[in-house]
Amino acid sequence: MIRSTHAGRAVAVAGVLVLALTACSGGSDEAGEGGSGSGEPLKIGTLLPVTGSLAQLGPPEIAGVDLALDEINAAGGLFGSDVTVVHTDSSDAQNASVSTASAQELITEGVSAVIGAASSSVTLNVIDDVTGAGIVQVSPANTATSLSGYSDFYFRTAPPDTVQGDVLGNLIVSDGAANVGILVFNDSYGTSLRDVVSGVVEESGGTIVYGADGEEFDPAEQNFATIVGDAIAAQPDAIAILAFTDQTPLIVRELVAQGWDMSKTYFVDGNLQNFGTDGDTGFPEDTLTGAQGTLPGAYPSEEFQGRMLEIDPELEEFSYGPEAYDATMLVALAALKGGASDGETIQANMAAVSGATDGTECTGWEECSALVEDGEEIAYQAVSGVGPFNDANDPSSAFIGVYEFGAENTYEFSRSEEGVVPQG
């Protein structure tokens, strides 16, 4: 699995595009297998990174949404019409005006649900406007614990940091580290994950020797000599880098320059990428051999990867594509179950179609929609492996993948660990 260093087809949606996605054989004017013939057409929006520090996540997330809509529309659509989508750019927290403008665009367009944002900080910038307008917001990648239960209209198909942080913390401890350094940027994503990892390390009897509250770095930082020097001076057994991809290559180069053993380094979903040996993000061969990282979500099957590649042949990575697919499917199924496409109806039925009411297990649009139309309760089986929504609108369980870097500074899947999302 390779992270893309370019926006790929997502560049084409840097502006706001309304895409009426139809089946290859053409849409149907009558209610098909995926619609009951009642309700208004469903329009959703996306608020996903085409530019900024998380732009590598945009292509797979957008492809996940478009794949779900292709599947729905190929089966006849919803309420006799194709589901349409308005794609917009979220950029990142350092360019907040982009997400603010995009959110207002989506509100004006009259979408009933928004898939996004990828960044927790971006979501916190727009969530009040989006959910306040009665629009359901479903993030495929937000992990900040502060978003749990934030709004009745906010859901996510990625687990909060309590799950990834627990797996990462236990991974570090199980590898024998007792004194842990954390290089963390001052962003809600970074500090939320840091707090969970710190708790796990300390509960096991270990110590956070660098990176505690007050020792974060500015997300705009470009010179890491002093920061890395201070972290190494604290004599850690392991260092976790909690940052995004624009800061991480600079940090890695400084760690190497100061003699750090990179096999004792840990990455997370915000910066886990195939750095390689060339280009601006590449390092000399063997730089990262033995380093590890974590990534929320079940590892996507070859079949699902192939389906995503049919949507976007330029995809070079699949992170959060399954979660975006699941988010879109759940929105459409919730509308179908409620018999209407407005945000309030979708919100009221999201938990039920996710399996919170112990319904019949089903996969994909055709199987699940047929059960809904027959009046049955369903338990949608998420491609990403997440469990039904809990009372905080978080997935009740989730898988976290563990990956290890090899000689070419690229990572390979090692194993998955399933965790339960705590409530309260």
Side-chain angles (χ1 to χ4, degrees):
M1 189 165 69
I2 303 173
R3 284 199 180 282
S4 174
T5 56
H6 56 83
R9 66 179 294 278
V11 172
V13 297
V16 177
L17 302 177
V18 181
L19 303 179
L21 299 176
T22 59
C24 294
S25 60
S28 171
D29 293 329
E30 298 179 2
E33 296 154 7
S36 65
S38 62
E40 295 296 319
L42 173 63
K43 180 191 289 187
I44 68 172
T46 68
L47 186 65
L48 297 169
V50 176
T51 62
S53 58
L54 285 179
Q56 82 279 357
L57 295 181
E61 290 174 333
I62 293 167
V65 172
D66 287 349
L67 174 59
L69 295 187
D70 263 11
E71 184 178 332
I72 293 167
N73 292 336
L78 177 66
F79 306 137
S81 300
D82 283 341
V83 179
T84 57
V85 60
V86 181
H87 285 305
T88 70
D89 182 19
S90 67
S91 192
D92 56 26
Q94 302 305 304
N95 298 281
S97 61
V98 176
S99 61
T100 298
S102 292
Q104 290 304 315
E105 191 77 42
L106 294 175
I107 293 169
T108 300
E109 285 281 351
V111 302
S112 297
V114 171
I115 309 301
S119 162
S120 296
S121 293
V122 169
T123 286
L124 288 166
N125 181 51
V126 301
I127 188 172
D128 291 336
D129 290 338
V130 172
T131 61
I135 297 170
V136 171
Q137 182 173 357
V138 191
S139 171
N142 287 167
T143 61
T145 55
S146 60
L147 286 166
S148 294
Y150 188 97
S151 166
D152 289 344
F153 279 74
Y154 173 80
F155 299 80
R156 54 181 162 188
T157 51
D161 288 327
T162 45
V163 183
Q164 181 177 199
D166 183 71
V167 171
L168 177 60
N170 280 296
L171 175 64
I172 294 171
V173 170
S174 68
D175 286 343
N179 299 310
V180 179
I182 302 178
L183 296 174
V184 54
F185 66 165
N186 193 12
D187 175 277
S188 59
Y189 163 79
T191 56
S192 174
L193 189 52
R194 182 270 316 276
D195 291 346
V196 178
V197 173
S198 297
V200 172
V201 171
E202 290 168 349
E203 286 173 12
S204 71
T207 303
I208 301 300
V209 296
Y210 184 84
D213 188 22
E215 294 179 317
E216 306 86 1
F217 63 82
D218 190 316
E221 182 64 55
Q222 295 293 304
N223 187 343
F224 290 93
T226 300
I227 295 168
V228 167
D230 290 345
I232 293 177
Q235 299 184 321
D237 303 318
I239 289 179
I241 304 174
L242 310 185
F244 288 154
T245 54
D246 52 349
Q247 304 105 2
T248 299
L250 300 173
I251 294 172
V252 169
R253 290 191 180 94
E254 193 58 49
L255 285 167
V256 172
Q258 297 195 31
W260 176 251
D261 180 354
M262 292 303 296
S263 69
K264 299 178 180 179
T265 308
Y266 297 81
F267 297 81
V268 288
D269 59 309
N271 59 12
L272 184 67
Q273 64 175 316
N274 285 299
F275 297 96
T277 57
D278 300 312
D280 294 338
T281 61
F283 311 115
E285 191 171 316
D286 276 326
T287 296
L288 298 180
T289 300
Q292 298 178 81
T294 54
L295 179 68
Y299 189 71
S301 68
E302 289 187 8
E303 184 271 340
F304 189 79
Q305 291 181 39
R307 292 176 63 197
M308 288 184 66
L309 285 168
E310 289 179 3
I311 295 295
D312 182 359
E314 295 185 10
L315 273 184
E316 296 182 347
E317 93 101 56
F318 304 93
S319 296
Y320 293 116
E323 286 83 356
Y325 171 92
D326 291 335
T328 308
M329 279 291 180
L330 287 164
V331 164
L333 288 168
L336 180 63
K337 178 175 174 58
S341 60
D342 61 280
E344 184 174 342
T345 298
I346 293 170
Q347 184 277 331
N349 290 280
M350 285 286 284
V353 296
S354 75
T357 53
D358 296 323
T360 302
E361 293 184 358
C362 60
T363 59
W365 176 256
E366 288 198 61
E367 182 182 6
C368 292
S369 65
L371 291 170
V372 171
E373 290 177 329
D374 286 342
E376 292 193 37
E377 294 293 310
I378 66 168
Y380 170 75
Q381 299 299 287
V383 175
S384 61
V386 295
F389 291 121
N390 61 24
D391 291 343
N393 293 344
D394 289 332
S396 53
S397 63
F399 287 92
I400 304 295
V402 178
Y403 299 80
E404 183 170 341
F405 283 91
E408 298 298 315
N409 304 317
T410 58
Y411 63 90
E412 292 187 0
F413 177 73
S414 174
R415 66 185 185 277
S416 285
E417 297 190 13
E418 185 174 17
V420 175
V421 178
Q423 282 188 258

